[in-house]
Amino acid sequence: MLKQLLNENFIVLDTETTGLSDDDEIVEISLVDQSGKVLLNELIRPVGDVSDEAYSVHGISTEKAKADGKRWKDVFQRVSKILSSQHLVIFNTKFDMRLIRQTCIKQLGLCCGLNEYGDFERSVKLHCAMKAYAEYWGVKDQNHHSKCQSLINACKQQGVPLRNAHKASEDCLMTLNLIQFVWRKEGWSFFRTHKGLMYGLVPIYLDLSLGESPGVEARNKLCDWMLSAADTFFGLCVSIMELMNPDYEPMFFFRVTEELFPLDSD
């Protein structure tokens, strides 16, 4: 699945909840696209209380969630609209989809909740990053099945810098970074660490993890054409300068505008 996603546009989802039981519900939900843009990040007003165990993990109190959270009905409509017909990546699909279902039932009622959840589940193309990573990592349990890793452990195993774990948007970004890191490690894809401008004009992605020789990729087909034209013009200028001055050393003209992947884990 990790390699399959190379050819797809996908969105990553993560949630924080009131607990882990069959009666718990969502208190925070986030969506991040594959470029790292946060599409949605909302606190949810729960019906029940946040357990002490859950609070110790994500730091969202019952008081804060009920005071500042939005209605699930309103947020879920936005989530469903954004994700309709999309490839949806979740680190632990079984858990998050169960909590979405429980929250729908608890906040919308049994019949309406099941209908809304059913429509949502049928509208998305689900991918479990946890299971995909377990197969990639290759460690087996006592029954010779691929052993699942936590998101934090998976990131540590691949050298992915840890973010503020157990915040929904940050866990989305860690999941995305893990996928991208595996892509680059296997040589499957360009690794996008930053956005930038080439020659001060052309929108590009940069791979600054390569040290003194950064990788450059145009952001779309139009930018690819612009980059090719700019490279041709710049190459001509360099040739002229080298004829005029044999000691001339061309500079790599780009400007970083946004960090997508933190290279320093400190």
Side-chain angles (χ1 to χ4, degrees):
M1 184 277 281
L2 291 177
K3 192 172 184 180
Q4 174 193 345
L5 288 172
L6 276 168
N7 302 316
E8 307 292 351
N9 291 318
F10 62 87
I11 295 173
V12 183
L13 176 148
D14 191 78
T15 65
E16 301 301 334
T17 67
T18 59
L20 306 177
S21 77
D22 293 339
D23 191 48
D24 280 301
E25 55 194 303
I26 292 169
V27 290
E28 187 178 56
I29 187 167
S30 292
L31 301 175
V32 172
D33 71 16
Q34 66 187 86
S35 74
K37 179 181 179 181
V38 177
L39 304 177
L40 179 142
N41 185 41
E42 295 291 359
L43 197 64
I44 306 298
R45 187 187 311 147
V47 174
D49 293 340
V50 177
S51 68
D52 292 339
E53 293 81 2
Y55 173 74
S56 70
V57 172
H58 53 58
I60 301 172
S61 67
T62 300
E63 293 73 22
K64 179 175 178 58
K66 291 191 174 182
D68 300 335
K70 294 183 178 179
R71 293 196 312 167
W72 173 251
K73 179 179 180 180
D74 298 332
V75 175
F76 189 58
Q77 285 178 348
R78 291 172 55 202
V79 169
S80 298
K81 185 176 180 179
I82 292 170
L83 293 177
S84 180
S85 301
Q86 297 294 316
H87 288 270
L88 175 58
V89 175
I90 305 175
F91 191 76
N92 185 346
T93 299
K94 184 176 180 180
F95 175 79
D96 286 278
M97 291 299 286
R98 173 170 68 85
L99 265 296
I100 290 173
R101 182 177 184 272
Q102 289 175 197
T103 306
C104 283
I105 292 172
K106 198 162 188 176
Q107 299 224 18
L108 305 178
L110 180 60
C111 291
C112 182
L114 286 175
N115 286 335
E116 291 287 332
Y117 173 79
D119 290 343
F120 168 73
E121 185 180 35
R122 286 187 292 272
S123 75
V124 298
K125 302 163 189 173
L126 278 172
H127 304 272
C128 183
M130 183 176 71
K131 288 185 178 180
Y133 179 77
E135 292 175 5
Y136 169 79
W137 187 235
V139 174
K140 304 294 183 181
D141 61 20
Q142 60 185 6
N143 296 317
H144 306 289
H145 298 142
S146 296
K147 185 176 182 180
C148 291
Q149 308 291 318
S150 69
L151 178 57
I152 291 177
N153 283 345
C155 287
K156 287 180 178 178
Q157 288 159 3
Q158 297 302 319
V160 178
L162 300 181
R163 294 176 176 268
N164 187 9
H166 301 302
K167 297 294 182 185
S169 61
E170 296 297 315
D171 284 354
C172 283
L173 289 168
M174 279 182 22
T175 299
L176 175 63
N177 291 163
L178 176 65
I179 293 169
Q180 292 173 329
F181 202 88
V182 170
W183 283 354
R184 181 176 181 272
K185 181 179 179 181
E186 296 299 324
W188 296 338
S189 174
F190 182 86
F191 186 47
R192 299 168 177 175
T193 64
H194 294 76
K195 288 183 179 179
L197 291 175
M198 189 73 174
Y199 310 122
L201 177 66
V202 184
I204 56 172
Y205 290 112
L206 290 157
D207 180 359
L208 298 186
S209 66
L210 302 175
E212 295 182 356
S213 301
V216 176
E217 178 185 69
R219 289 194 213 168
N220 55 49
K221 290 183 179 180
L222 176 61
C223 294
D224 190 38
W225 178 86
M226 293 171 62
L227 185 59
S228 296
D231 280 340
T232 300
F233 176 75
F234 180 67
L236 179 61
C237 293
V238 169
S239 297
I240 294 172
M241 292 299 295
E242 287 177 339
L243 286 174
M244 297 174 61
N245 179 7
D247 296 326
Y248 173 73
E249 294 184 2
M251 296 177 63
F252 195 67
F253 295 108
F254 70 84
R255 178 167 62 88
V256 174
T257 58
E258 182 182 347
E259 180 185 64
L260 300 176
F261 183 91
L263 297 176
D264 184 357
S265 58
D266 294 333

